[in-house]
Amino acid sequence: TGRELIALCEKENLTIAEVMIRREAETSEKTRDELVNEMFENLLTMQKSIRFGLEENQQTVTGLAGGNAEKLMAYAEKANMGRDMAQICAAALAVAEVNASMGRIVAAPTAGACGVLPAVLVNYQKEKGTADEQIVRALYTAAGIGQVVAARAYIAGASGGCQAEIGTASAMAAGALTALGGGTPSQITHAAAMALKNLLGLVCDPVGGLVEVPCVKRNV
């Protein structure tokens, strides 16, 4: 639970990221360096997915989604207000469109919610000039939030609807941002809870019998 995670961090004087790295080392029998390198590869994949989604006009087989990330980024570059938020939204849309077009993404925590965490963290790094090592640790913090939700509720849209996928991804992103801002484990979990609360009740509402449209747009 979130309480157990906070208590463990406080008892051992550890960050959530450190708890998750140690947990992964125990369960996977991999070294710390191997785990950090694997998460760094995830970060690179996130960066590539955003870039590819914005540079290449993605079109899905059904034609229900695609091409909107490029349009939104073009708007963002000309916008006088809300430019940063529009760029983040465009990045989220880009990754979601790459996923819907069967491209390579990082499920964070699911493929349907793959655009949220990359859009937030990659744009944060771009804006702040944050070192890769810090972003990698933020990704492990996000993993800790995702692990709590997966253990206590759902992360799959098939089980819990869009609130499960997008809600969890948003909670993970909120926790990661709070960690980057120097937040305590308690503050991180509160931030995650606030993000998740705002998306409770968000159901999966397929268009034409497919989840493609709600999944892609809700990443934004």
Side-chain angles (χ1 to χ4, degrees):
T1 68
R3 282 194 182 94
E4 289 171 337
L5 180 59
I6 294 169
L8 179 60
C9 289
E10 291 177 348
K11 179 183 178 182
E12 302 292 339
N13 194 27
L14 300 172
T15 63
I16 292 176
E18 183 61 27
V19 168
M20 289 306 295
I21 292 171
R22 292 187 183 191
R23 177 185 180 277
E24 287 297 302
E26 290 176 5
T27 57
S28 68
E29 297 184 350
K30 293 180 179 178
T31 67
R32 171 183 292 273
D33 287 344
E34 287 175 327
L35 292 170
V36 170
N37 287 337
E38 283 183 5
M39 192 61 88
F40 179 65
E41 288 296 323
N42 286 339
L43 175 59
L44 291 179
T45 300
M46 290 176 174
Q47 293 169 339
K48 290 175 183 176
S49 293
I50 291 174
R51 189 164 58 248
F52 188 71
L54 291 173
E55 293 175 356
E56 301 289 335
N57 192 332
Q58 302 294 304
Q59 293 293 331
T60 61
V61 174
T62 64
L64 290 173
N68 287 314
E70 193 177 19
K71 293 176 184 176
L72 186 54
M73 184 56 79
Y75 163 79
E77 290 172 353
K78 296 185 291 185
N80 291 320
M81 295 181 64
R83 179 178 302 167
D84 292 344
M85 183 59 69
Q87 288 177 338
I88 294 170
C89 291
L93 199 52
V95 178
E97 288 180 345
V98 168
N99 171 57
S101 303
M102 305 306 289
R104 187 167 182 232
I105 50 91
V106 177
T110 63
C114 62
V116 179
L117 195 59
V120 170
L121 291 186
V122 171
N123 277 281
Y124 179 94
Q125 183 179 30
K126 181 181 177 181
E127 176 70 22
K128 303 291 186 181
T130 310
D132 288 334
E133 291 78 9
Q134 289 178 272
I135 300 298
V136 165
R137 294 191 68 83
L139 284 168
Y140 270 110
T141 301
I145 300 299
Q147 177 63 33
V148 169
V149 179
R152 303 294 293 173
Y154 304 106
I155 60 172
S159 301
C162 275
Q163 63 182 356
E165 294 197 48
I166 300 297
T168 304
S170 298
M172 291 166 67
L177 280 181
T178 306
L180 285 167
T184 65
S186 179
Q187 290 169 333
I188 289 166
T189 51
H190 275 295
M194 289 174 70
L196 187 54
K197 286 174 185 177
N198 277 282
L199 290 163
L200 289 177
L202 186 64
V203 300
C204 183
D205 191 16
V207 175
L210 303 171
V211 300
E212 188 176 306
V213 169
C215 267
V216 171
K217 305 294 171 55
R218 285 171 179 174
N219 276 269
V220 175

